Amino acid sequence: MRILGINALFHDPAAALVINNVTVAAAEEERFSRRKHGKRPVPFAAWELPGQAAAWCLSQAGLRPADLDAVAYSFDPRLARPADTMGLHDPWDHLRLTYAREAPGFLSEALPGLDPALVHFVPHHMAHAASSAYAAPGAENSSVLVLDGRGEATSHLAARRTGNHLEPLHGQELPHSLGLVYEELTEHLGFLRSSDEYKVMALASYGTPRLLPELRRHVHPTHDGGFCATGVPWAELCPPCRPGEAWTQAHADLAASTQAVLEETLLDLARWLHGRTHDSVLTLAGGVALNCVANSRLAREGPFSRVWVQPASGDAGTALGGALLLSAGAGHTPVPPAGADLGRGWSDAELEAWLKSAQVPFERPPDVAETVAEALAGDAIVAWFQGRAEFGPRALGHRSLLAHPGRVGNLERLNDVKGREQFRPVAPMVLAARAAEIFDGPLPSPYMLFVHDVAPRWRERIPAVVHVDGTARIQTVETDTEPLLARMLTAFERLTGLPVVVNTSLNTAGRPMVDDPRDALECFGSAPVDLLAMGPFVVRRREFFAAGQPDLATTTPTTAPATAPGHKDPLR
C-alpha cells in the first residue's frame, strides 16, 4: 500500500511516503523553498501545500501521484468549531477551515493525476500520536501524550497503542493550551511566535522560577487527565521585551517560571495516563515535545520506565503520522524508521559534479572522518554534509556545524558564525558507549531531545557544550548506524583525549537547515567556516579564496553556484 502523508494547514508543511508499512521518505517544504518553517501559521497561508516535498517523496520511490493508494491530510475540518466558540481570538480562522475542506481539490492540482477521492482527513492529534507510537522501537504496547498549540478543537491528546490499534483516551479542549501559553510567552519576550519557543527554553536556564505561584493560578493540571492553561496576564508579571531588545533578569525569571509550570503539568498528565494504562513505555509528540528540559524531567520523575520522543515532533511529523495511521488501519504493522535521516541525499558522483560545476577547489582525502577530526583538533569550524538530510528540527550529524568542545570561546564563536543570540547553547555529540561516564540522563539519546547533567570532572574539559546550569543536550552516536560519525569521534578522541564534539545545525539565523549541495556551498561561502566536508570530499576555506573566489562572509553574493551538469536544479 502506497500512502502519502501531508501536513499543510498551520505551519511546517511537510510530506512523507509510506509503502507497505515502511517509511521511504519524509521532508519539510522549508528545505526546498528555503523559507523558515515553510510559511507563517496564519489563515491566509493555509492553502500553501508542500508541493516540492511531496513531489520529491514520490520521486524517491519512482511513483506518480496516480500510483498512490491513499493520501493522509493531517487535519479533519469536520471536527473543528468556529474559533470564537472555543474562546480563541482568530477572526479569520474560518478561512483556514475553508482551505482545509478544499484540500483534496488543492492536492489534486498540486499533484496532477491524483484522485481527490483518495485524500483522507486524519485528526490532527491522532496524526501526531501515530507519528510517535508507530515510529518508536519496541512500543507495540505503549502510552502516548501529544501536546501542541492547537488541533481542530483540542490542544492535547492522551492515547494508547495496542498492536496496530491506537485508542484516544482523553483530550483537552481549547482554549486551554500549554502550547499556546508558551507561544504567548515567546511573543511577550520579543521572539517570533510559533518559531522561537526553543529560545525561551534556553533563556529559562538563566532565571529562577520566582513567579511560579502566580503562574499556577492560570496554568495547572485538573488531575483528571486535563489542565487549565489560559489567560496569563503576562504584562502584569513582567514588562514585555521588544524584538531585538536585550533581555533582563526579570525576563529570564518569567521564562524559568513558565518552564517550571509546564513541567509540573506534564508530570501530572503522565501520571494520570499511567494510572489508566500501566504501560512501561511513553511516547511523546506535538510541538511541546521538542522541549528537551521538560522531557528529561518526565523521564526522571515520571511513572514510565522509558520515554521516547518523535524527532520530528512538530507539525511536520503529522505528515508521517497520518500516513502511518492509515497504514496501520489497513492492517499493516508499521516498521519504525531506523533513524531521522529520511530526507534528500546525493551519491559521491553527484556531489563531485556539484563541486566541479561550482569551480570549487576540493580534494578527496583517504578518510574524510580522519581529516575532519584533525581539523577539529586544530580548532577549525567544520561544515559537515553527509548522507540523507534529517527530518525534523535537529541536526543529527548529517547537516551539522562541528567544533572543538574544549575551547570555551567556541560557543560564542559558533553563535557569531550563525548570527544568533549569545545565550543560545550548542550540543555535544558523543559515542553511545562513552556517554554514561560523562552524561547523566536518559540513554541512549540519538535525537537530542533530552538534557543531561554533565559529570563535574568533565565540565571544565568540554566547556563549550555545558549549559549555564551544568547540563547539556546530547546526541549519542551508535557505531553500527552512524559509522562515519563514529570514526570521526574516535579519531578526535585519539588526537585530543576528548570523546565529544560540538554539534549544531548547519545554517545561519533565520534560514532553514542546509539541505542540498548548493545550500552547503552558499553557507560555506557566506559564513566564516574553515572546512566543508561534503561526502568524501573536503573544501578548505584558505584554498577556496586563494583560488580567487569572493569571500561571501564579507561580501554580498551576486550569483549562486551553478547546477551540476546533467542534474535538474531542484529549486527551479
Side-chain angles (χ1 to χ4, degrees):
M1 193 170 184
R2 294 157 294 198
I3 305 172
L4 182 69
I6 295 289
N7 171 64
L9 198 66
F10 292 112
H11 52 84
D12 295 298
L17 182 65
V18 173
I19 300 178
N20 296 332
N21 71 14
V22 174
T23 302
V24 173
E28 293 137 291
E29 187 72 4
E30 70 164 18
R31 308 296 172 87
F32 300 82
S33 68
R34 310 309 299 161
R35 294 168 60 195
K36 188 73 170 174
H37 296 296
K39 62 181 180 181
R40 291 297 297 150
V42 296
F44 304 99
W47 64 272
E48 295 185 46
L49 296 168
Q52 295 180 83
W56 173 78
C57 285
L58 293 175
S59 72
Q60 277 295 101
L63 297 179
R64 300 166 301 165
D67 298 324
L68 290 168
D69 296 301
V71 175
Y73 183 84
S74 61
F75 186 90
D76 190 345
R78 297 167 297 191
L79 302 178
R81 303 198 304 270
D84 57 352
T85 68
M86 296 188 293
L88 299 176
H89 178 68
D90 194 351
W92 289 99
D93 191 53
H94 64 90
L95 185 59
R96 182 184 283 120
L97 298 183
T98 297
Y99 287 144
R101 285 189 286 268
E102 299 299 327
F106 287 147
L107 283 165
S108 67
E109 290 287 335
L111 300 171
L114 174 68
D115 181 355
L118 295 177
V119 179
H120 299 259
F121 292 119
V122 175
H124 186 70
H125 289 129
M126 285 295 285
H128 268 308
S131 79
S132 185
Y134 292 136
E140 292 77 11
N141 295 287
S142 57
S143 299
V144 193
L145 266 181
V146 173
L147 293 120
D148 64 1
R150 60 167 292 194
E152 294 87 356
T154 60
S155 69
H156 147 268
L157 174 68
R160 188 184 193 194
R161 177 190 174 187
T162 306
N164 281 5
H165 181 60
L166 191 58
E167 178 190 5
L169 299 177
H170 187 67
Q172 176 58 57
E173 293 196 352
L174 293 165
H176 300 282
S177 170
L178 293 171
L180 290 181
V181 164
Y182 220 85
E183 286 185 16
E184 291 170 5
L185 174 62
T186 300
E187 187 174 40
H188 186 73
L189 294 178
F191 303 124
L192 183 61
R193 182 172 182 157
S194 293
S195 176
D196 292 348
E197 283 69 28
Y198 57 94
K199 297 182 183 181
V200 176
M201 182 183 68
L203 183 61
S205 64
Y206 289 82
T208 56
R210 61 181 179 82
L211 298 169
L212 186 54
E214 177 61 28
L215 274 169
R216 285 178 178 146
R217 295 174 53 193
H218 308 280
V219 182
H220 56 83
T222 51
H223 309 301
D224 58 359
F227 51 86
C228 291
T230 189
V232 179
W234 300 109
E236 295 177 16
L237 298 174
C238 172
C241 187
R242 296 182 180 86
E245 195 173 68
W247 56 272
T248 67
Q249 190 59 51
H251 296 122
D253 290 348
L254 181 58
S257 302
T258 307
Q259 177 68 30
V261 79
L262 170 74
E263 294 169 14
E264 290 180 350
T265 307
L266 287 178
L267 273 170
D268 186 88
L269 296 176
R271 288 165 179 153
W272 178 90
L273 180 56
H274 186 265
R276 292 286 299 272
T277 68
H278 305 290
D279 291 322
S280 61
V281 178
L282 174 68
T283 70
L284 298 175
V288 175
L290 292 172
N291 191 306
C292 56
V293 177
N295 295 344
S296 298
R297 189 168 177 188
L298 271 180
R300 184 174 63 251
E301 301 178 28
F304 293 91
S305 301
R306 180 165 74 96
V307 177
W308 189 90
V309 186
Q310 163 59 250
S313 279
D315 273 8
T318 64
L320 175 59
L324 291 174
L325 191 66
L326 291 189
S327 181
H332 302 286
T333 300
V335 177
D341 52 336
L342 299 169
R344 288 190 288 178
W346 284 263
S347 69
D348 292 352
E350 289 172 322
L351 293 175
E352 186 173 15
W354 276 89
L355 292 167
K356 287 180 176 178
S357 177
Q359 300 181 23
V360 173
F362 65 93
E363 60 188 89
R364 183 170 188 163
D367 184 358
V368 71
E370 187 76 30
T371 298
V372 166
E374 291 171 358
L376 292 171
D379 207 25
I381 291 179
V382 176
W384 177 265
F385 183 101
Q386 303 292 338
R388 294 179 65 175
E390 300 93 340
F391 181 51
R394 302 284 191 253
L396 301 169
H398 292 253
R399 304 291 186 270
S400 293
L401 277 173
L402 308 178
H404 195 307
R407 312 289 167 81
V408 66
N410 276 344
L411 172 59
E412 181 177 351
R413 186 179 170 200
L414 281 166
N415 281 331
D416 284 342
V417 166
K418 291 168 69 73
R420 65 184 196 177
E421 301 88 351
Q422 286 299 336
F423 66 82
R424 301 271 298 280
V426 292
M429 176 190 292
V430 60
L431 282 174
R434 301 295 309 279
E437 65 186 270
I438 308 169
F439 304 105
D440 181 22
L443 294 172
S445 183
Y447 299 129
M448 211 183 289
L449 285 165
F450 297 91
V451 294
H452 296 68
D453 290 322
V454 182
R457 68 188 183 89
W458 279 96
R459 292 179 187 177
E460 291 185 359
R461 297 188 66 188
I462 53 172
V465 297
V466 181
H467 301 170
V468 67
D469 58 1
T471 65
R473 187 186 69 194
I474 79 169
Q475 177 198 353
T476 55
V477 175
E478 300 283 356
T479 302
D480 56 343
T481 57
E482 295 285 357
L484 183 64
L485 274 178
R487 270 204 328 273
M488 182 272 293
L489 286 165
T490 300
F492 183 76
E493 182 176 13
R494 187 181 71 249
L495 294 168
T496 66
L498 301 176
V500 172
V501 164
V502 175
N503 174 27
T504 188
S505 56
L506 182 52
N507 67 331
T508 52
R511 295 176 180 268
M513 204 184 306
V514 159
D515 194 77
D516 77 3
R518 185 174 72 176
D519 305 332
L521 287 165
E522 288 180 343
C523 187
F524 176 72
S526 62
V529 176
D530 300 300
L531 185 142
L532 168 63
M534 184 185 290
F537 309 104
V538 297
V539 182
R540 301 180 188 274
R541 190 170 196 84
R542 184 176 300 171
E543 283 79 0
F544 181 74
F545 293 116
Q549 300 288 341
D551 190 341
L552 300 185
T554 57
T555 61
T556 303
T558 56
T559 59
T563 304
H567 297 276
K568 183 179 179 182
D569 187 337
L571 302 186
R572 293 184 181 174

